[in-house]
């Protein structure tokens, strides 16, 4: 029998304030046309006062728990991918745990910026397969707006806030077609960390800093790294690109998503695209897109999906999953 981590529920949450490109054009020298053509973004959501990374994460988690039909008290692991924690410490995962009233299991954050959800998923999958955990909540949640410099048009129009969550449960099966996480590959290359970073933090300054990005350099690395890691994860599991039902990519830029799909010969009608509605929500982007496609019925049980993301660090990764 093989022990696998199976997705049994998904959920997501967005802040109440929706901001379109015309509203961004009142803040910085930009236009709806420029933002749409260069990134594919039409709207994003910004957290208002009182909305936090943990409140969005908790709302997404509650929906995933409801979809899975489990008792929150049976969760023995919470891994939360975020680059915008409520506080430097404690981990936002522990705040979510307390809000859910499921204390006692493991709870921690992982910080891999836009790849945060893939890193959280890889960690939870490994812990489930090793027997350290049996029911996990994996969350990607961000309030990126709190890190944005609203005088920098090259970055502030690209990001948004939100959260997505999944419940991962241990299941044993001999069937090679059984659902579960089949393969995950994660990478980092710290040599590029000055291309996408925050210029502050507890060990270097007395503030949390603002996001800085050399967008066109990140763009070039993104298409190459993402197509390479997708190939790696397919190879690891002996899967052909043609067998993939859906790609759920990190939603940073429609042109990156299209370029990556093209490199793998994957048609765009098998790619989930939510960047137009949510913009780049960093670690939340993949689980937000996944939940949208599960709930609207595009992603169905038995299908083969691949998740991928790339972000600051650089970090990047992909995960192949039978739903
Ligand atoms: O999630 C982590 C990963 N992040 C990403 O994947 C983001 C990757 N990068 C990108 O998505 C794209 O590089 C951007 C959308 C950020 C920019 O697109 P680009 O085609 O690479 O444009 P660019 O940075 O080369 O800038 C082109 C021009 C510049 O003007 P000049 O120097 O050619 O006169 C910019 O000043 O566009 C200008 N520009 C803007 N114009 C209007 C930059 N931002 C804006 C703006 N509105 N918001």
């Amino acid at each position: 029998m093989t022990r696998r981590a199976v997705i049994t529920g998904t959920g997501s949450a967005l802040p109440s304030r929706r901001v379109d490109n015309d509203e961004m054009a009142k803040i910085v020298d930009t236009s709806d046309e420029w933002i749409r053509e260069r990134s594919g973004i039409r709207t994003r959501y910004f957290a208002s006062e009182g909305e936090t990374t943990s409140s969005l994460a908790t709302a997404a988690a509650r929906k995933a728990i409801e979809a899975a039909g489990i008792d929150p008290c049976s969760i023995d692991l919470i891994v939360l991918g975020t680059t915008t924690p409520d506080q430097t410490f404690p981990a936002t995962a522990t705040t979510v745990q307390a809000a859910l009233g499921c204390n006692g299991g493991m709870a921690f954050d992982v910080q891999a910026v836009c790849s945060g959800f893939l890193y959280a998923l890889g960690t939870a999958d490994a812990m489930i397969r090793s027997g350290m955990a049996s029911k996990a909540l994996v969350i990607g949640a961000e309030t990126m707006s709190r890190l944005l410099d609203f005088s920098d048009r090259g970055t502030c129009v690209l990001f948004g806030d939100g959260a997505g969550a999944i419940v991962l449960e241990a299941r044993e099966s001999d069937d090679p077609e059984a659902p579960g996480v089949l393969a995950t590959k994660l990478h980092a290359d710290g040599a590029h960390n000055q291309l996408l970073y925050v210029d502050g933090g507890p060990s270097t300054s007395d503030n949390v800093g603002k996001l800085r990005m050399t967008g066109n350099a990140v763009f070039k690395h993104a298409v190459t790294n993402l197509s390479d890691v997708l190939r790696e994860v397919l190879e690891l599991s002996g899967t052909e690109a043609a067998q993939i039902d859906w790609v759920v990519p990190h939603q940073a830029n429609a042109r990156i998503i299209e370029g990556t799909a093209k490199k793998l010969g994957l048609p765009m009608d098998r790619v989930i695209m939510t960047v137009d509605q949510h913009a780049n929500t960093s670690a939340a982007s993949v689980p937000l897109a996944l939940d949208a496609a599960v709930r609207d019925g595009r992603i169905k049980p038995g299908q083969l999906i691949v998740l991928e993301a790339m972000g600051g660090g650089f970090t990047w990764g992909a995960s192949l999953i039978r739903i």
Side-chain angles (χ1 to χ4, degrees), residues 30-31 34 87 111 126 176 192 203 243 246 250 276 282 292 305 318:
T30 190
S31 65
W34 190 94
Q87 296 146 278
Q111 215 286 51
H192 299 295
S203 167
Q243 292 172 260
W246 294 104
H250 173 45
D276 56 328
S282 183
I305 67 167

Side-chain angles (χ1 to χ4, degrees), residues 30 34 38 114 153-154 158 215-216 250 252-253 255-256 280:
T30 190
W34 190 94
R38 299 294 178 121
C114 299
R153 68 178 183 171
L158 301 172
N216 45 15
H250 173 45
N253 186 315
R255 290 186 294 139
I256 294 177
N280 183 348

